[in-house]
Amino acid sequence: METVGLIGYGLSAIAYLFLLVLLISHRQPSVATKILLLSVALSMVSYIVNASQIYQVFSLRYALLMECVKQLSWGVLLLLVISGSDTVPSIFTSPSSKNLARVLLLLVALNVTTIFILHNSQWLFIGLLSLTLLLLVLLEQLYRNAQQLKWALLPLTIGLGGLQIFDFVMYAQATLLTRIDFYFWYSRGFIALLVLPFILLSAKRMRNWSPDLYISRDVVFYSSMVLLSAVYLLLLAFSGYVIRFMQGQWSETLSIVFMVFGLLVLLVLLMTNRLRDKIRVFISKHFFANKYDYRLEWLKLIEDIEQQGSSDPFQNACAVMANCLGVSRCGFVDASHTKLRVVHQGDYTIDSPLMAQISQLHQFSLQQSWLIDVREYQRFPERYPELKLDTKHLAKQRLELFIPTFSEQRLIGYFMLSGPSHRPILNWEDRDFLIAVSKQLGNYLMLQTAQKQLAQGQQLAVFHRMSAFVLHDLKNIQAQLSLITRNAERHRDNPEFVDDVFATVESASARIAKVVSQLQNKSKDVNQGHRHELINVSELLHQCAQQSQSDKVKISSSVPPELYVTADKDGLHNVFLHLLQNAKEACQPDGLINIVGRQDEQQVVVDISDNGCGMSSDFINQSLFEPFTTTKGNAGMGIGVFEAKQFIEEYQGTIDVTSELGKGSCFTLSLPLSTVN
């Protein structure tokens, strides 16, 4: 074995000399690069000393002293890169490295003291074990916190980390046995030779050894994981040592099986993402201050809501949510009805593929009640089981966050946002904060909706009270006018006077009777509610089209005869008549109204389109389905389309409209299909 060790250390010394020459010829003018040269040079000297110790058989403490110096050099290099310092003394003042630098210096000093003063081999092995463990922690921090240069640091982490793990096992066994196992010691030269290409590769990729690093609370988590793993391995080694020295024929085999089983358990635990996530959150919650000061955030949120000046509450809520994340794009999807509806699209272009993706997100969120981070889905799709997304289309639209909002445990809708550029993936604190904001905004939206409904109810109550008074007066006027009409028929002595009065009164009587009939029907609907009848849609539409026919506007109809719905026939009749009347009034002479009925899965869909004047998108989004708003001026009261929408939704249906100024409008009604027994 001495010959094997001599060959291994000799080859390693030659290889590290070759690496040193390469680095000198391509070195960069930075402190970290100089420390790298020093580390490689000390590694070469250390392996020369190890080879000489085998050949000359002098005290091993000189070789162990060189090991401490070599470890110190590599530790200083890693601390320089972690802290981004320009000088070696600055690593003792940088917040990200000062504590680790002091521990490194202390361990080296203790090891040197033990070698030359205490002469206690067990304490020396414990010190070397601690020094090796510290370098593993530094390597873990360096790789975990590198933002852009992980690809360059990965070979160094594998190479130097592999060498440290080998030393860790060797020193752990030496601590238990109070002596070094020379099978390990003689093999170290070949291990150092094997890891050399990894160090060379990182040296080639890293030009100035100054990556952009940041230190976060994740450092504590991963360092804790490394320390816990080290403690576990020590306990495992001690248990194996005890089993191995037990009396019995199977003790050695049992110790090997125990060690293999223990390593497998450690590997499984380290690879379990759920356990790692729980430990990370536990450490962050209990050992660090919260990232967000919720008192200040709450005050900021309230102030932000108060400063919003739009009359649209959904636009206000989206503006507040966007401000919380520091993004410019935010929309809102209403999920409080049977059909998803984008009530505020922000800067998004709502097309059919995007609505299909929103439906996928909605279905997944209904099952899990999760905040969905599309960027996290791209990197870790296993965290979103059974969710299938077209990430290219979502990236094109910059829809990166899908946040559900609730009020009184009832889903209201979803905020859809672009993600913040400074944080590629949201952590648990960001998610908790956004969920809290969405709940507050959900309560705000529900309050605004309730106030709006209350105002509408008050307006309707005033309208019905007014209708009762108007109805009473109109009946009296109708009776008087009818009497005058009958008297006029008996007094035709003055033909010009009587004929003129008769024509005027008859026209007024007809108009007033129509108003009275309409008001009576509205009062009856309010007091008695709707009935449920099986209705043939084709027959009802044909009847309404016949009643709405005129010489100025042509009405065409194409409705299959087998379409049936269950609703109040008189109410549905009034809805169709009102929409046809609106279409007639929107058309110019020789206009065209087209009625098309069809079955779409389990829905009966009716399109009523015209080529009239059309409506603006602002009027459709903000005023069309609101009571007491109309485009007819004094000619209309503005409640027809509102009542039509209320009627259709009462029977689990929907009513949508598309329109373009100067080209016409199309109202689309959808009701559940009924079957005929």
Side-chain angles (χ1 to χ4, degrees):
M1 285 302 296
E2 289 83 356
T3 304
V4 172
L6 182 63
I7 295 174
Y9 283 123
L11 292 176
S12 296
I14 296 172
Y16 277 80
L17 174 62
F18 177 73
L19 175 60
L20 182 62
V21 173
L22 287 179
L23 293 177
I24 292 175
S25 61
H26 293 85
R27 67 184 181 92
Q28 299 290 330
S30 69
V31 176
T33 306
K34 294 177 182 178
I35 299 299
L36 175 63
L37 289 172
L38 179 61
S39 300
V40 173
L42 289 175
S43 298
M44 178 192 69
V45 173
S46 175
Y47 299 138
I48 291 175
V49 171
N50 292 345
S52 302
Q53 190 274 335
I54 297 173
Y55 183 70
Q56 297 292 335
V57 195
F58 54 81
S59 176
L60 192 62
R61 64 179 181 173
Y62 298 107
L64 295 178
L65 175 64
M66 281 306 305
E67 288 295 324
C68 291
V69 176
K70 180 191 72 173
Q71 295 285 69
L72 174 64
S73 178
W74 282 112
V76 170
L77 173 64
L78 296 177
L79 288 171
L80 279 172
V81 180
I82 289 173
S83 62
S85 302
D86 296 330
T87 60
V88 173
S90 60
I91 66 176
F92 293 93
T93 58
S94 174
S96 59
S97 62
K98 60 181 181 180
N99 293 329
L100 293 171
R102 293 167 185 171
V103 173
L104 175 65
L105 194 60
L106 178 62
L107 288 176
V108 173
L110 290 175
N111 287 337
V112 173
T113 302
T114 304
I115 291 174
F116 289 103
I117 298 177
L118 300 179
H119 303 289
N120 188 314
S121 59
Q122 188 170 18
W123 283 106
L124 175 60
F125 295 142
I126 292 175
L128 291 170
L129 180 67
S130 302
L131 188 59
T132 302
L133 180 59
L134 179 61
L135 258 69
L136 285 173
V137 172
L138 292 178
L139 281 170
E140 182 272 328
Q141 289 190 18
L142 177 65
Y143 181 73
R144 287 289 181 182
N145 295 285
Q147 292 181 342
Q148 304 294 333
L149 296 176
K150 283 190 175 183
W151 67 278
L153 293 171
L154 179 61
L156 177 69
T157 305
I158 295 175
L160 193 57
L163 185 58
Q164 299 304 316
I165 291 174
F166 183 88
D167 287 350
F168 180 86
V169 175
M170 181 182 69
Y171 291 135
Q173 186 183 39
T175 302
L176 294 173
L177 302 177
T178 65
R179 60 180 177 83
I180 284 183
D181 188 336
F182 281 93
Y183 286 99
F184 279 98
W185 180 259
Y186 293 148
S187 303
R188 286 179 76 246
F190 293 100
I191 300 298
L193 189 63
L194 289 175
V195 303
L196 179 65
F198 296 97
I199 300 175
L200 175 61
L201 183 58
S202 275
K204 181 179 179 181
R205 290 180 177 179
M206 295 286 291
R207 295 185 176 276
N208 57 4
W209 287 82
S210 298
D212 185 15
L213 299 173
Y214 71 95
I215 302 299
S216 67
R217 65 188 61 186
D218 287 342
V219 170
V220 178
F221 165 72
Y222 290 112
S223 300
S224 301
M225 293 294 290
V226 172
L227 290 172
L228 289 174
S229 301
V231 173
Y232 178 84
L233 288 174
L234 283 175
L235 293 175
L236 195 64
F238 178 75
S239 301
Y241 170 76
V242 171
I243 295 174
R244 186 174 180 179
F245 283 89
M246 288 174 56
Q247 296 295 328
Q249 182 179 1
W250 299 97
S251 60
E252 184 172 353
T253 303
L254 183 60
S255 66
I256 296 174
V257 173
F258 178 79
M259 292 289 290
V260 172
F261 178 76
L263 290 174
L264 288 176
V265 171
L266 177 62
L267 183 62
V268 170
L269 291 177
L270 292 178
M271 294 180 63
T272 303
N273 290 328
R274 186 179 298 273
L275 176 64
R276 292 162 63 90
D277 291 341
K278 288 183 177 180
I279 295 176
R280 182 188 291 109
V281 173
F282 177 83
I283 292 174
S284 298
K285 282 186 175 181
H286 295 86
F287 294 94
F288 287 90
N290 289 328
K291 176 182 177 181
Y292 298 97
D293 187 336
Y294 280 88
R295 184 183 66 85
L296 296 178
E297 295 294 344
W298 181 270
L299 294 176
K300 179 182 176 182
L301 179 66
I302 298 301
E303 182 181 0
D304 204 1
I305 292 176
E306 291 175 348
Q307 290 178 352
Q308 301 303 319
S310 174
S311 59
D312 183 3
F314 295 103
Q315 181 178 345
N316 294 337
C318 287
V320 172
M321 179 62 79
N323 291 338
C324 288
L325 278 176
V327 299
S328 59
R329 180 171 294 195
C330 180
F332 192 85
V333 181
D334 182 11
S336 59
H337 299 90
T338 55
K339 182 179 180 181
L340 291 178
R341 184 167 57 100
V342 179
V343 293
H344 179 71
Q345 67 183 39
D347 295 332
Y348 290 103
T349 302
I350 307 300
D351 51 12
S352 297
L354 183 60
M355 282 303 300
Q357 295 298 303
I358 291 174
S359 297
Q360 291 282 341
L361 293 168
H362 167 62
Q363 293 299 325
F364 182 80
S365 185
L366 279 180
Q367 298 174 2
Q368 305 290 344
S369 298
W370 284 359
L371 183 158
I372 302 174
D373 188 346
V374 176
R375 295 171 301 180
E376 182 184 44
Y377 171 82
Q378 290 177 314
R379 292 183 59 182
F380 307 104
E382 67 277 3
R383 297 182 182 177
Y384 298 88
E386 300 181 2
L387 178 61
K388 304 297 181 182
L389 295 177
D390 184 358
T391 54
K392 292 183 178 180
H393 187 72
L394 292 176
K396 181 180 179 182
Q397 289 278 1
R398 288 183 57 198
L399 199 165
E400 297 166 330
L401 294 176
F402 199 69
I403 306 174
T405 178
F406 297 85
S407 180
E408 298 179 354
Q409 298 182 348
R410 184 169 66 90
L411 178 64
I412 299 175
Y414 302 93
F415 290 99
M416 48 184 186
L417 304 98
S418 55
S421 57
H422 63 278
R423 184 172 291 278
I425 294 180
L426 302 182
N427 60 23
W428 67 269
E429 282 188 290
D430 298 321
R431 290 173 174 270
D432 286 351
F433 172 68
L434 290 177
I435 290 174
V437 172
S438 69
K439 287 183 178 179
Q440 175 62 18
L441 292 177
N443 292 332
Y444 163 76
L445 291 174
M446 286 299 294
L447 178 61
Q448 294 297 315
T449 302
Q451 289 178 343
K452 191 174 183 180
Q453 292 175 348
L454 179 60
Q456 292 175 354
Q458 291 174 343
Q459 289 177 323
L460 287 172
V462 172
F463 170 74
H464 288 305
R465 286 197 299 269
M466 177 195 68
S467 300
F469 288 111
V470 172
L471 181 61
H472 181 268
D473 293 338
L474 288 177
K475 285 182 177 179
N476 293 333
I477 296 173
Q478 182 189 16
Q480 293 174 359
L481 291 177
S482 298
L483 181 60
I484 293 173
T485 302
R486 290 192 295 271
N487 291 334
E489 292 178 352
R490 295 194 298 269
H491 300 282
R492 294 183 177 272
D493 296 338
N494 189 347
E496 295 180 359
F497 175 78
V498 174
D499 290 342
D500 193 31
V501 171
F502 179 77
T504 302
V505 172
E506 186 177 23
S507 176
S509 178
R511 290 197 301 269
I512 293 173
K514 184 177 180 180
V515 172
V516 171
S517 176
Q518 291 177 345
L519 290 175
Q520 286 177 332
N521 290 335
K522 295 181 187 300
S523 300
K524 186 182 302 182
D525 289 343
V526 172
N527 295 326
Q528 298 179 359
H530 294 302
R531 299 185 302 272
H532 291 76
E533 305 172 63
L534 190 63
I535 305 169
N536 186 297
V537 177
S538 177
E539 294 178 0
L540 186 60
L541 283 170
H542 179 74
Q543 180 182 354
C544 294
Q546 291 295 325
Q547 295 178 7
S548 302
Q549 285 287 359
S550 67
D551 296 332
K552 296 182 179 180
V553 179
K554 181 181 179 181
I555 301 177
S556 64
S557 178
S558 175
V559 183
E562 66 276 4
L563 299 181
Y564 288 85
V565 298
T566 300
D568 179 7
K569 186 174 183 179
D570 293 337
L572 188 58
H573 180 270
N574 291 335
V575 169
F576 288 148
L577 275 181
H578 179 77
L579 295 180
L580 289 172
Q581 182 64 28
N582 283 351
K584 285 173 56 178
E585 293 175 355
C587 291
Q588 299 293 330
D590 299 327
L592 176 63
I593 299 174
N594 190 25
I595 305 173
V596 177
R598 65 185 187 278
Q599 178 181 347
D600 186 4
E601 297 182 352
Q602 295 301 313
Q603 297 285 316
V604 174
V605 181
V606 177
D607 295 326
I608 300 177
S609 59
D610 63 74
N611 59 354
C613 59
M615 296 173 287
S616 67
S617 58
D618 289 339
F619 178 80
I620 293 174
N621 294 329
Q622 300 179 10
S623 304
L624 177 62
F625 295 106
E626 302 296 329
F628 310 108
T629 56
T630 179
T631 58
K632 303 176 185 177
N634 295 329
M637 300 186 68
I639 62 171
V641 178
F642 170 76
E643 288 190 337
K645 183 174 183 293
Q646 296 291 319
F647 177 87
I648 294 298
E649 289 182 349
E650 182 175 347
Y651 291 98
Q652 306 302 315
T654 60
I655 179 169
D656 297 311
V657 60
T658 57
S659 184
E660 187 174 353
L661 286 173
K663 294 188 178 181
S665 305
C666 178
F667 282 80
T668 301
L669 286 75
S670 176
L671 285 169
L673 177 68
S674 296
T675 57
V676 180
N677 295 330

